Amino acid sequence: MIFKVYYQEDQVRNPKREDTKSLYIDAATEVEARALVAENTKHNIEFIEPLEGKFLEYEQENPDYKLTEFNK
């Protein structure tokens, strides 16, 4: 399943909506998606949203859509 992860790049500063970024990741569960991002980045994860059906199709139309893959 594809998940959209909303995050702040810095864990030290207070989150600001204007600084929120997102990435897309393929994982079996939301827990696995959170673990992958936590293990491979220093991002402050705000929210993880599952994408499927029309929601996924809409996101895939965005030119910035790209699945993030981490080297194991």
Side-chain angles (χ1 to χ4, degrees):
M1 175 174 264
I2 306 297
F3 293 91
K4 184 174 185 179
V5 180
Y6 296 90
Y7 68 91
Q8 301 281 320
E9 289 186 328
D10 191 0
Q11 291 185 359
V12 177
R13 295 179 55 189
N14 289 337
K16 289 194 306 190
R17 174 179 234 158
E18 297 82 16
D19 295 336
T20 299
K21 298 183 179 178
S22 62
L23 61 84
Y24 302 92
I25 189 165
D26 187 11
T29 65
E30 184 177 328
V31 173
E32 182 182 325
R34 181 177 294 276
L36 282 170
V37 174
E39 290 170 4
N40 292 286
T41 69
K42 294 186 179 190
H43 297 333
N44 180 14
I45 300 169
E46 290 183 19
F47 183 70
I48 299 178
E49 174 182 21
L51 298 175
E52 55 189 354
K54 296 285 184 188
F55 297 106
L56 178 58
E57 290 174 22
Y58 175 80
E59 292 290 343
Q60 289 173 329
E61 291 175 6
N62 184 340
D64 295 330
Y65 176 85
K66 178 180 167 243
L67 280 177
T68 300
E69 295 182 15
F70 298 110
N71 295 330
K72 293 185 178 185

